mmCIF file of all heavy atoms in Angstrom:
data_model
loop_
_atom_site.group_PDB
_atom_site.id
_atom_site.type_symbol
_atom_site.label_atom_id
_atom_site.label_comp_id
_atom_site.label_asym_id
_atom_site.label_seq_id
_atom_site.Cartn_x
_atom_site.Cartn_y
_atom_site.Cartn_z
ATOM 1 N N ASP A 7 8.544 65.483 -221.573
ATOM 2 C CA ASP A 7 8.610 66.716 -222.355
ATOM 3 C C ASP A 7 7.335 67.529 -222.175
ATOM 4 O O ASP A 7 7.371 68.766 -222.129
ATOM 5 C CB ASP A 7 8.834 66.398 -223.836
ATOM 6 C CG ASP A 7 10.288 66.069 -224.153
ATOM 7 O OD1 ASP A 7 11.068 65.896 -223.198
ATOM 8 O OD2 ASP A 7 10.642 65.982 -225.338
ATOM 9 N N MET A 8 6.196 66.840 -222.092
ATOM 10 C CA MET A 8 4.942 67.544 -221.850
ATOM 11 C C MET A 8 4.988 68.279 -220.517
ATOM 12 O O MET A 8 4.555 69.425 -220.400
ATOM 13 C CB MET A 8 3.767 66.560 -221.842
ATOM 14 C CG MET A 8 2.421 67.201 -221.507
ATOM 15 S SD MET A 8 1.158 65.993 -221.078
ATOM 16 C CE MET A 8 1.684 65.504 -219.417
ATOM 17 N N GLN A 9 5.557 67.630 -219.493
ATOM 18 C CA GLN A 9 5.594 68.206 -218.158
ATOM 19 C C GLN A 9 6.506 69.427 -218.075
ATOM 20 O O GLN A 9 6.157 70.430 -217.440
ATOM 21 C CB GLN A 9 6.070 67.154 -217.148
ATOM 22 C CG GLN A 9 5.069 66.046 -216.867
ATOM 23 C CD GLN A 9 4.104 66.436 -215.758
ATOM 24 O OE1 GLN A 9 3.242 67.287 -215.951
ATOM 25 N NE2 GLN A 9 4.258 65.817 -214.612
ATOM 26 N N VAL A 10 7.685 69.363 -218.678
ATOM 27 C CA VAL A 10 8.681 70.416 -218.466
ATOM 28 C C VAL A 10 8.775 71.392 -219.631
ATOM 29 O O VAL A 10 9.622 72.274 -219.641
ATOM 30 C CB VAL A 10 10.080 69.804 -218.191
ATOM 31 C CG1 VAL A 10 10.028 68.883 -216.990
ATOM 32 C CG2 VAL A 10 10.604 69.048 -219.418
ATOM 33 N N SER A 11 7.888 71.277 -220.612
ATOM 34 C CA SER A 11 7.951 72.160 -221.777
ATOM 35 C C SER A 11 7.450 73.551 -221.433
ATOM 36 O O SER A 11 6.536 73.733 -220.629
ATOM 37 C CB SER A 11 7.101 71.572 -222.914
ATOM 38 O OG SER A 11 7.019 72.490 -223.997
ATOM 39 N N GLY A 12 8.045 74.560 -222.071
ATOM 40 C CA GLY A 12 7.530 75.914 -221.966
ATOM 41 C C GLY A 12 6.331 76.140 -222.862
ATOM 42 O O GLY A 12 5.708 77.196 -222.843
ATOM 43 N N HIS A 13 6.003 75.123 -223.668
ATOM 44 C CA HIS A 13 4.889 75.194 -224.593
ATOM 45 C C HIS A 13 3.564 75.008 -223.845
ATOM 46 O O HIS A 13 3.506 74.317 -222.831
ATOM 47 C CB HIS A 13 5.048 74.085 -225.645
ATOM 48 C CG HIS A 13 4.145 74.223 -226.821
ATOM 49 N ND1 HIS A 13 3.775 73.157 -227.604
ATOM 50 C CD2 HIS A 13 3.514 75.303 -227.351
ATOM 51 C CE1 HIS A 13 2.978 73.564 -228.576
ATOM 52 N NE2 HIS A 13 2.808 74.866 -228.435
ATOM 53 N N THR A 14 2.500 75.607 -224.351
ATOM 54 C CA THR A 14 1.193 75.490 -223.698
ATOM 55 C C THR A 14 0.488 74.226 -224.181
ATOM 56 O O THR A 14 -0.354 74.257 -225.075
ATOM 57 C CB THR A 14 0.318 76.723 -224.005
ATOM 58 O OG1 THR A 14 0.351 76.990 -225.422
ATOM 59 C CG2 THR A 14 0.829 77.926 -223.276
ATOM 60 N N GLU A 15 0.840 73.096 -223.588
ATOM 61 C CA GLU A 15 0.254 71.825 -223.992
ATOM 62 C C GLU A 15 -0.229 71.069 -222.773
ATOM 63 O O GLU A 15 0.251 71.276 -221.655
ATOM 64 C CB GLU A 15 1.272 70.984 -224.767
ATOM 65 C CG GLU A 15 2.571 70.762 -224.020
ATOM 66 C CD GLU A 15 3.681 70.278 -224.924
ATOM 67 O OE1 GLU A 15 3.480 70.211 -226.140
ATOM 68 O OE2 GLU A 15 4.763 69.962 -224.405
ATOM 69 N N ALA A 16 -1.218 70.199 -222.993
ATOM 70 C CA ALA A 16 -1.844 69.486 -221.880
ATOM 71 C C ALA A 16 -2.468 68.200 -222.402
ATOM 72 O O ALA A 16 -2.790 68.091 -223.597
ATOM 73 C CB ALA A 16 -2.913 70.365 -221.224
ATOM 74 N N PRO A 17 -2.660 67.206 -221.527
ATOM 75 C CA PRO A 17 -3.281 65.950 -221.965
ATOM 76 C C PRO A 17 -4.788 66.097 -222.139
ATOM 77 O O PRO A 17 -5.476 66.688 -221.300
ATOM 78 C CB PRO A 17 -2.941 64.982 -220.822
ATOM 79 C CG PRO A 17 -2.769 65.849 -219.623
ATOM 80 C CD PRO A 17 -2.215 67.151 -220.125
ATOM 81 N N LEU A 18 -5.289 65.544 -223.226
ATOM 82 C CA LEU A 18 -6.721 65.493 -223.504
ATOM 83 C C LEU A 18 -7.165 64.043 -223.382
ATOM 84 O O LEU A 18 -6.613 63.151 -224.034
ATOM 85 C CB LEU A 18 -7.005 66.015 -224.918
ATOM 86 C CG LEU A 18 -8.421 65.839 -225.477
ATOM 87 C CD1 LEU A 18 -9.443 66.596 -224.643
ATOM 88 C CD2 LEU A 18 -8.474 66.294 -226.941
ATOM 89 N N ILE A 19 -8.169 63.794 -222.520
ATOM 90 C CA ILE A 19 -8.683 62.448 -222.284
ATOM 91 C C ILE A 19 -9.927 62.245 -223.146
ATOM 92 O O ILE A 19 -10.892 63.003 -223.050
ATOM 93 C CB ILE A 19 -9.049 62.237 -220.801
ATOM 94 C CG1 ILE A 19 -7.835 62.503 -219.895
ATOM 95 C CG2 ILE A 19 -9.587 60.832 -220.567
ATOM 96 C CD1 ILE A 19 -8.174 62.532 -218.410
ATOM 97 N N LEU A 20 -9.908 61.207 -223.993
ATOM 98 C CA LEU A 20 -11.044 60.858 -224.852
ATOM 99 C C LEU A 20 -11.592 59.507 -224.394
ATOM 100 O O LEU A 20 -10.842 58.534 -224.311
ATOM 101 C CB LEU A 20 -10.608 60.775 -226.316
ATOM 102 C CG LEU A 20 -9.905 62.013 -226.894
ATOM 103 C CD1 LEU A 20 -9.408 61.729 -228.313
ATOM 104 C CD2 LEU A 20 -10.832 63.216 -226.895
ATOM 105 N N VAL A 21 -12.877 59.454 -224.105
ATOM 106 C CA VAL A 21 -13.484 58.251 -223.527
ATOM 107 C C VAL A 21 -14.488 57.649 -224.499
ATOM 108 O O VAL A 21 -15.288 58.361 -225.103
ATOM 109 C CB VAL A 21 -14.187 58.578 -222.193
ATOM 110 C CG1 VAL A 21 -14.734 57.306 -221.553
ATOM 111 C CG2 VAL A 21 -13.222 59.286 -221.243
ATOM 112 N N ASN A 22 -14.427 56.334 -224.646
ATOM 113 C CA ASN A 22 -15.364 55.599 -225.504
ATOM 114 C C ASN A 22 -15.955 54.416 -224.756
ATOM 115 O O ASN A 22 -15.319 53.845 -223.864
ATOM 116 C CB ASN A 22 -14.668 55.075 -226.759
ATOM 117 C CG ASN A 22 -14.516 56.129 -227.840
ATOM 118 O OD1 ASN A 22 -13.421 56.632 -228.075
ATOM 119 N ND2 ASN A 22 -15.612 56.458 -228.503
ATOM 120 N N GLY A 23 -17.161 54.030 -225.146
ATOM 121 C CA GLY A 23 -17.787 52.834 -224.609
ATOM 122 C C GLY A 23 -18.747 53.112 -223.476
ATOM 123 O O GLY A 23 -18.954 54.258 -223.060
ATOM 124 N N PRO A 24 -19.359 52.048 -222.931
ATOM 125 C CA PRO A 24 -20.391 52.183 -221.895
ATOM 126 C C PRO A 24 -19.925 52.877 -220.624
ATOM 127 O O PRO A 24 -20.743 53.414 -219.877
ATOM 128 C CB PRO A 24 -20.781 50.729 -221.611
ATOM 129 C CG PRO A 24 -20.372 49.964 -222.817
ATOM 130 C CD PRO A 24 -19.167 50.650 -223.354
ATOM 131 N N ILE A 25 -18.623 52.876 -220.347
ATOM 132 C CA ILE A 25 -18.128 53.508 -219.124
ATOM 133 C C ILE A 25 -18.484 54.978 -219.090
ATOM 134 O O ILE A 25 -18.670 55.559 -218.010
ATOM 135 C CB ILE A 25 -16.594 53.326 -218.988
ATOM 136 C CG1 ILE A 25 -16.104 53.824 -217.615
ATOM 137 C CG2 ILE A 25 -15.859 54.049 -220.102
ATOM 138 C CD1 ILE A 25 -16.631 53.070 -216.445
ATOM 139 N N ALA A 26 -18.605 55.616 -220.246
ATOM 140 C CA ALA A 26 -18.895 57.054 -220.276
ATOM 141 C C ALA A 26 -20.219 57.350 -219.579
ATOM 142 O O ALA A 26 -20.321 58.273 -218.763
ATOM 143 C CB ALA A 26 -18.913 57.555 -221.712
ATOM 144 N N GLN A 27 -21.236 56.557 -219.883
ATOM 145 C CA GLN A 27 -22.535 56.772 -219.260
ATOM 146 C C GLN A 27 -22.501 56.386 -217.781
ATOM 147 O O GLN A 27 -23.054 57.097 -216.927
ATOM 148 C CB GLN A 27 -23.616 55.975 -219.990
ATOM 149 C CG GLN A 27 -25.024 56.235 -219.459
ATOM 150 C CD GLN A 27 -26.080 55.536 -220.299
ATOM 151 O OE1 GLN A 27 -25.774 54.846 -221.276
ATOM 152 N NE2 GLN A 27 -27.337 55.713 -219.929
ATOM 153 N N ARG A 28 -21.842 55.277 -217.456
ATOM 154 C CA ARG A 28 -21.784 54.844 -216.055
ATOM 155 C C ARG A 28 -21.031 55.846 -215.191
ATOM 156 O O ARG A 28 -21.334 56.022 -214.011
ATOM 157 C CB ARG A 28 -21.134 53.466 -215.960
ATOM 158 C CG ARG A 28 -22.006 52.344 -216.507
ATOM 159 C CD ARG A 28 -21.506 50.994 -216.036
ATOM 160 N NE ARG A 28 -20.274 50.597 -216.693
ATOM 161 C CZ ARG A 28 -20.208 49.900 -217.828
ATOM 162 N NH1 ARG A 28 -21.328 49.535 -218.448
ATOM 163 N NH2 ARG A 28 -19.037 49.571 -218.350
ATOM 164 N N ALA A 29 -20.049 56.500 -215.787
ATOM 165 C CA ALA A 29 -19.272 57.489 -215.042
ATOM 166 C C ALA A 29 -19.924 58.860 -215.039
ATOM 167 O O ALA A 29 -19.462 59.770 -214.341
ATOM 168 C CB ALA A 29 -17.862 57.594 -215.622
ATOM 169 N N GLY A 30 -20.984 59.031 -215.815
ATOM 170 C CA GLY A 30 -21.689 60.307 -215.853
ATOM 171 C C GLY A 30 -21.016 61.367 -216.685
ATOM 172 O O GLY A 30 -21.229 62.570 -216.472
ATOM 173 N N ILE A 31 -20.198 60.953 -217.667
ATOM 174 C CA ILE A 31 -19.477 61.923 -218.492
ATOM 175 C C ILE A 31 -20.427 62.530 -219.524
ATOM 176 O O ILE A 31 -21.100 61.818 -220.266
ATOM 177 C CB ILE A 31 -18.284 61.253 -219.197
ATOM 178 C CG1 ILE A 31 -17.323 60.675 -218.154
ATOM 179 C CG2 ILE A 31 -17.550 62.250 -220.089
ATOM 180 C CD1 ILE A 31 -16.197 59.841 -218.746
ATOM 181 N N ASN A 32 -20.463 63.849 -219.571
ATOM 182 C CA ASN A 32 -21.313 64.544 -220.532
ATOM 183 C C ASN A 32 -20.679 64.486 -221.915
ATOM 184 O O ASN A 32 -19.512 64.840 -222.095
ATOM 185 C CB ASN A 32 -21.494 66.009 -220.110
ATOM 186 C CG ASN A 32 -22.353 66.794 -221.092
ATOM 187 O OD1 ASN A 32 -23.144 66.224 -221.840
ATOM 188 N ND2 ASN A 32 -22.208 68.108 -221.083
ATOM 189 N N CYS A 33 -21.452 64.040 -222.905
ATOM 190 C CA CYS A 33 -20.957 64.029 -224.288
ATOM 191 C C CYS A 33 -21.848 64.888 -225.173
ATOM 192 O O CYS A 33 -21.816 64.770 -226.395
ATOM 193 C CB CYS A 33 -20.875 62.601 -224.828
ATOM 194 S SG CYS A 33 -22.458 61.739 -224.900
ATOM 195 N N GLY A 34 -22.667 65.738 -224.552
ATOM 196 C CA GLY A 34 -23.571 66.589 -225.305
ATOM 197 C C GLY A 34 -23.167 68.048 -225.231
ATOM 198 O O GLY A 34 -21.976 68.390 -225.219
ATOM 199 N N THR A 35 -24.157 68.920 -225.170
ATOM 200 C CA THR A 35 -23.924 70.356 -225.192
ATOM 201 C C THR A 35 -23.005 70.797 -224.059
ATOM 202 O O THR A 35 -23.135 70.345 -222.928
ATOM 203 C CB THR A 35 -25.265 71.101 -225.079
ATOM 204 O OG1 THR A 35 -26.101 70.698 -226.171
ATOM 205 C CG2 THR A 35 -25.069 72.602 -225.139
ATOM 206 N N SER A 36 -22.047 71.661 -224.390
ATOM 207 C CA SER A 36 -21.113 72.252 -223.421
ATOM 208 C C SER A 36 -20.281 71.213 -222.693
ATOM 209 O O SER A 36 -19.921 71.380 -221.529
ATOM 210 C CB SER A 36 -21.874 73.100 -222.395
ATOM 211 O OG SER A 36 -20.986 73.865 -221.612
ATOM 212 N N ALA A 37 -19.917 70.133 -223.404
ATOM 213 C CA ALA A 37 -19.237 69.009 -222.753
ATOM 214 C C ALA A 37 -17.877 69.377 -222.171
ATOM 215 O O ALA A 37 -17.389 68.697 -221.272
ATOM 216 C CB ALA A 37 -19.077 67.849 -223.740
ATOM 217 N N MET A 38 -17.237 70.431 -222.681
ATOM 218 C CA MET A 38 -15.939 70.829 -222.142
ATOM 219 C C MET A 38 -16.040 72.092 -221.305
ATOM 220 O O MET A 38 -15.017 72.702 -220.978
ATOM 221 C CB MET A 38 -14.930 71.030 -223.279
ATOM 222 C CG MET A 38 -14.620 69.755 -224.034
ATOM 223 S SD MET A 38 -13.207 69.912 -225.132
ATOM 224 C CE MET A 38 -11.863 69.896 -223.954
ATOM 225 N N GLY A 39 -17.265 72.484 -220.941
ATOM 226 C CA GLY A 39 -17.443 73.714 -220.196
ATOM 227 C C GLY A 39 -17.698 73.469 -218.724
ATOM 228 O O GLY A 39 -17.646 72.340 -218.240
ATOM 229 N N PRO A 40 -17.994 74.550 -217.995
ATOM 230 C CA PRO A 40 -18.305 74.421 -216.577
ATOM 231 C C PRO A 40 -19.749 73.991 -216.376
ATOM 232 O O PRO A 40 -20.543 73.979 -217.309
ATOM 233 C CB PRO A 40 -18.082 75.848 -216.056
ATOM 234 C CG PRO A 40 -18.420 76.713 -217.225
ATOM 235 C CD PRO A 40 -17.977 75.951 -218.449
ATOM 236 N N GLY A 41 -20.082 73.648 -215.151
ATOM 237 C CA GLY A 41 -21.463 73.311 -214.829
ATOM 238 C C GLY A 41 -21.606 71.949 -214.190
ATOM 239 O O GLY A 41 -20.747 71.070 -214.350
ATOM 240 N N VAL A 42 -22.703 71.772 -213.488
ATOM 241 C CA VAL A 42 -22.965 70.513 -212.797
ATOM 242 C C VAL A 42 -23.035 69.351 -213.771
ATOM 243 O O VAL A 42 -22.579 68.239 -213.472
ATOM 244 C CB VAL A 42 -24.268 70.618 -211.981
ATOM 245 C CG1 VAL A 42 -24.627 69.273 -211.361
ATOM 246 C CG2 VAL A 42 -24.128 71.676 -210.889
ATOM 247 N N VAL A 43 -23.590 69.589 -214.961
ATOM 248 C CA VAL A 43 -23.723 68.512 -215.931
ATOM 249 C C VAL A 43 -22.358 67.963 -216.354
ATOM 250 O O VAL A 43 -22.240 66.840 -216.839
ATOM 251 C CB VAL A 43 -24.528 68.996 -217.164
ATOM 252 C CG1 VAL A 43 -23.715 69.991 -217.988
ATOM 253 C CG2 VAL A 43 -24.944 67.822 -218.043
ATOM 254 N N ASN A 44 -21.324 68.763 -216.160
ATOM 255 C CA ASN A 44 -19.970 68.357 -216.547
ATOM 256 C C ASN A 44 -19.108 67.976 -215.345
ATOM 257 O O ASN A 44 -17.879 67.985 -215.442
ATOM 258 C CB ASN A 44 -19.279 69.500 -217.308
ATOM 259 C CG ASN A 44 -19.946 69.804 -218.615
ATOM 260 O OD1 ASN A 44 -20.395 68.891 -219.303
ATOM 261 N ND2 ASN A 44 -20.041 71.073 -218.967
ATOM 262 N N SER A 45 -19.729 67.651 -214.221
ATOM 263 C CA SER A 45 -18.936 67.385 -213.020
ATOM 264 C C SER A 45 -17.976 66.215 -213.213
ATOM 265 O O SER A 45 -16.838 66.243 -212.720
ATOM 266 C CB SER A 45 -19.849 67.131 -211.822
ATOM 267 O OG SER A 45 -20.688 66.010 -212.058
#
């Protein structure tokens, strides 16, 4: 339903635990924005 819906919806990925730091995921300022820090 998410895939074929005419509604504007999308999956949001929430990450917890040490993997966030190992993967380089930004959890600070502008975490959902553009920029190298958010690669």
